[in-house]
Amino acid sequence: MIETLRMYMQYDMVRNALIVGVLIALCSSLLGVTLVLKRFSYIGDGLSHVAFGAIAIAAVLHLSDDMVLVMPVTILCAVLLLRTGQKTRIRGDAAIAMISVGALAVGYLLMNIFSASSNLSGDVCSTLFGSASILTLTKAEVWLSIILSVVVVVIFLLFYNRIFAVTFDENFARAAGTKVEAYNLLIAVVIAVIIVLAMNLVGSLLISALVIFPAMSAMRLFRSFRAVTIASAVLSVFCALMGILVAILADTPVGSTIVGMDILAFLICLGTARLQGRTSK
Amino acid sequence: MALLTCKDLVLGYDGHPVLSGISFEVCAGDYLCIVGENGSGKTTLMKTILGLQKPLAGKITFGDGLKQNEIGYLPQQTDVQRDFPATVREIVLSGCQGRMGRRPFYNREDKKTAAQNMERLDLSALAGRCYRELSGGQQQRVLLARALCATQKLIVLDEPVSGLDPHVTSEMYGLIRNLNREDGITVMMISHDITAALQEATHILHVGEELFFGTKADYLASPLAARFLALKGGEPV
Ligand SMILES: Nc1ncnc2c1ncn2[C@@H]1O[C@H](COP(=O)(O)OP(=O)(O)OP(=O)(O)O)[C@@H](O)[C@H]1O
Ligand SMILES: [Mg+2]
């Protein structure tokens, strides 16, 4: 098996997939805790469907580089969803459901009407579930992913304390003069960037899993914000690595294999937490 | 000059007033209790003073070098906090965020302030513990320590003892009293417990259909207080 792995490692394609996969997994886990705790996870879910719709439109327009369209559209929707979500919770939820399901439907419709591809359901499936697109990244896509990931990580590190404050208690932060709206906006934009990046890795339906599972796992085991953040980053990267390697060796779909690893890790963390609880009592 | 002066405030949401004609002032060293029925607008008043929402009319002025973002605030708890993975130290330290300015990280001074306030409220032993695993009383002390990190002058407390048992409640009142008398921190407290409010406060602000602002003695002499006390079953002190 080691031999097979070594052989695969000689391919640029595989190495790129590993680098990009690890970076995306790292980014998506960083904001996971914030998203879960702020009840923002629904925004992530909605956005991933929007990104799907945008990809469909890009395909119809025959854009060679669909990022040009997908990134701005997703960011714009993130900002809009955040705005409506803040005004009234209930109508915000409905707005998100409408936008996300609408984007899915229109996306699929467009692909159906305009697609020249002979394998339409294959195309749709790979956009939704990621399939092998991580293994077919172009040089430009690899670099874009690396640069955006580094930007996300740097932003997260610089604003770590503010993100903590805004997540823990918005009103207190606002009273202390922290620009809560600006940070919420920042968080929404970063989520949008992460989602577009992660489309390549796991496809649009599975992105939420990549964001939420590591955070939930880490929250079972650790008690400080810092430990939870670090643990979810480590877990996410580990699961992504394992998932990609297993997918290559066993020839399974990359996205679902990674998410499978995340689920496994969650179950292990859940079990460990139960055991700890029992022994400490 | 007063720390805080409110003049003819009208408070409300989306243009609909819930409370109007509020005028009062808070001077350094005062202990002001805000009392009134449920839904009379006490929390709304706090939020307006903190700048979380705008008054519909009227004016709030800060004096004595107090800035709006230098008020320590102890809110009514929200659900998010209940399952939040954060240690006592992390939460208390976040009280220093107002002083960070453009700095991205807390400096040594901030960490010292946090440590001092944990010491002051007897939290040092709990510094590494997870907030969600603390008792209600301990959680309130953590939030109070955080509020103290944000201010040297004025803390505003929104029902700091709700849900606490009588023993812990009197401990909490004791802590607040010490902060007021010994450390010279001005206190504004919303309270449902009229008896305690009358024991602890120097001034009373009564909000609702009828308004009152003045010293405790004046309040006790007023017909409003007599009616409110009878309603609440509190005893005049
Ligand atoms: N976000 C909001 N939007 C619209 N109306 C609100 C909002 N929050 C509170 N209100 C209304 O404003 C009024 C005053 O509410 P507030 O929370 O200030 O009362 P309170 O005096 O703090 O009550 P309690 O003693 O129960 O804490 C209530 O009638 C309430 O329904
Ligand atoms: Mg209230």
Side-chain angles (χ1 to χ4, degrees):
Chain A
M1 204 170 79
I2 303 287
E3 271 312 297
T4 340
L5 263 186
R6 191 168 294 160
M7 184 192 83
Y8 274 117
M9 282 304 187
Q10 284 166 358
Y11 294 107
D12 264 355
M13 184 178 88
V14 175
R15 278 202 303 255
N16 285 343
L18 283 174
I19 293 172
V20 172
V22 162
L23 285 173
I24 292 173
L26 177 65
C27 291
S28 59
S29 67
L30 287 180
L31 277 175
V33 184
T34 305
L35 292 202
V36 171
L37 290 170
K38 262 178 147 334
R39 319 274 139 95
F40 267 5
S41 20
Y42 61 98
I43 290 188
D45 215 36
L47 284 183
S48 54
H49 297 171
V50 168
F52 170 79
I55 285 185
I57 294 173
V60 169
L61 295 176
H62 297 293
L63 290 181
S64 56
D65 184 4
D66 53 14
M67 285 274 198
V68 183
L69 182 74
V70 179
M71 191 65 89
V73 168
T74 314
I75 290 178
L76 189 72
C77 281
V79 175
L80 288 178
L81 285 182
L82 192 77
R83 282 273 156 78
T84 51
Q86 270 169 351
K87 287 239 173 68
T88 45
R89 228 333 94 81
I90 302 162
R91 250 183 281 155
D93 277 3
I96 288 159
M98 276 157 55
I99 292 182
S100 72
V101 179
L104 261 186
V106 171
Y108 185 56
L109 199 62
L110 285 177
M111 282 174 116
N112 246 305
I113 298 174
F114 293 101
S115 175
S117 157
S118 54
N119 180 16
L120 178 69
S121 50
D123 282 357
V124 173
C125 201
S126 74
T127 320
L128 286 179
F129 292 102
S131 72
S133 56
I134 185 84
L135 290 170
T136 55
L137 294 173
T138 63
K139 259 242 139 57
E141 282 173 326
V142 171
W143 276 112
L144 188 66
S145 302
I146 291 176
I147 291 168
L148 286 177
S149 306
V150 170
V151 170
V152 167
V153 172
V154 168
I155 286 180
F156 182 81
L157 289 179
L158 275 182
F159 293 113
Y160 169 83
N161 287 311
R162 317 282 171 141
I163 291 174
F164 171 85
V166 170
T167 312
F168 181 67
D169 192 338
E170 242 179 52
N171 276 341
F172 185 89
R174 201 174 280 129
T178 302
K179 298 199 173 52
V180 173
E181 274 64 37
Y183 288 104
N184 277 336
L185 196 67
L186 181 78
I187 292 172
V189 170
V190 171
I191 297 167
V193 172
I194 289 170
I195 281 171
V196 174
L197 279 179
M199 294 272 304
N200 282 325
L201 186 60
V202 294
S204 68
L205 278 189
L206 300 181
I207 288 171
S208 295
L210 208 59
V211 173
I212 294 168
F213 269 104
M216 292 302 274
S217 306
M219 278 166 64
R220 298 299 119 204
L221 291 184
F222 294 95
R223 263 133 198 70
S224 75
F225 190 74
R226 179 158 21 161
V228 167
T229 304
I230 294 173
S232 67
V234 170
L235 259 182
S236 180
V237 166
F238 179 75
C239 290
L241 266 181
M242 293 306 285
I244 296 174
L245 291 178
V246 168
I248 292 172
L249 290 174
D251 196 22
T252 51
V254 180
S256 15
T257 313
I258 293 178
V259 175
M261 290 291 169
D262 280 319
I263 295 173
L264 202 64
F266 177 72
L267 292 177
I268 292 172
C269 290
L270 200 64
T272 317
R274 283 273 156 79
L275 280 181
Q276 272 180 354
R278 205 166 295 160
T279 47
S280 70
K281 255 167 210 161
Chain B
M1 191 187 174
L3 268 185
L4 170 71
T5 312
C6 293
K7 200 154 168 21
D8 299 324
L9 283 184
V10 179
L11 312 170
Y13 298 89
D14 308 316
H16 300 291
V18 296
L19 197 57
S20 48
I22 303 289
S23 296
F24 66 95
E25 57 175 32
V26 182
C27 297
D30 283 359
Y31 191 141
L32 174 73
C33 267
I34 303 174
V35 298
E37 303 286 339
N38 286 115
S40 55
K42 304 182 294 292
T43 301
T44 309
L45 173 62
M46 284 287 187
K47 287 187 176 163
T48 311
I49 289 170
L50 290 163
L52 303 181
Q53 61 186 78
K54 288 211 162 62
L56 300 180
K59 208 163 166 335
I60 303 176
T61 37
F62 297 93
D64 259 356
L66 182 73
K67 293 200 206 101
Q68 192 166 42
N69 71 345
E70 290 173 350
I71 303 174
Y73 172 43
L74 191 148
Q76 285 177 321
Q77 282 188 24
T78 64
D79 288 338
V80 176
Q81 291 170 2
R82 294 245 153 83
D83 49 354
F84 202 99
T87 58
V88 170
R89 187 184 290 111
E90 286 177 316
I91 292 171
V92 174
L93 194 54
S94 78
C96 295
Q97 61 183 292
R99 280 188 267 134
M100 282 205 288
R102 292 190 175 281
R103 271 185 289 129
F105 305 111
Y106 296 111
N107 62 18
R108 193 162 298 171
E109 191 105 345
D110 296 332
K111 287 178 185 157
K112 213 171 96 193
T113 309
Q116 277 166 355
N117 282 316
M118 285 193 283
E119 184 75 31
R120 173 140 87 167
L121 298 187
D122 205 12
L123 287 166
S124 302
L126 300 175
R129 287 277 298 278
C130 178
Y131 177 78
R132 65 183 168 192
E133 288 165 1
L134 300 180
S135 73
Q138 290 167 333
Q139 290 187 343
Q140 287 300 80
R141 274 197 344 247
V142 173
L143 297 187
L144 184 57
R146 177 184 68 165
L148 289 172
C149 283
T151 191
Q152 260 101 51
K153 297 191 178 111
L154 174 65
I155 47 174
V156 302
L157 314 167
D158 196 345
E159 302 194 15
V161 299
S162 67
L164 304 184
D165 69 41
H167 178 66
V168 181
T169 297
S170 68
E171 249 178 37
M172 193 74 184
Y173 281 135
L175 281 174
I176 299 169
R177 196 183 311 131
N178 272 349
L179 292 172
N180 180 245
R181 297 209 187 136
E182 266 142 54
D183 301 327
I185 294 174
T186 310
V187 177
M188 283 175 72
M189 178 169 80
I190 293 178
S191 178
H192 266 144
D193 182 355
I194 180 73
T195 315
L198 288 173
Q199 260 164 24
E200 303 292 331
T202 59
H203 292 72
I204 301 282
L205 174 65
H206 187 125
V207 298
E209 307 257 294
E210 284 178 83
L211 301 168
F212 176 90
F213 170 70
T215 60
K216 181 165 73 179
D218 288 347
Y219 182 66
L220 282 171
S222 72
L224 176 60
R227 256 176 290 137
F228 193 61
L229 278 170
L231 198 68
K232 288 270 177 179
E235 294 141 38
V237 189

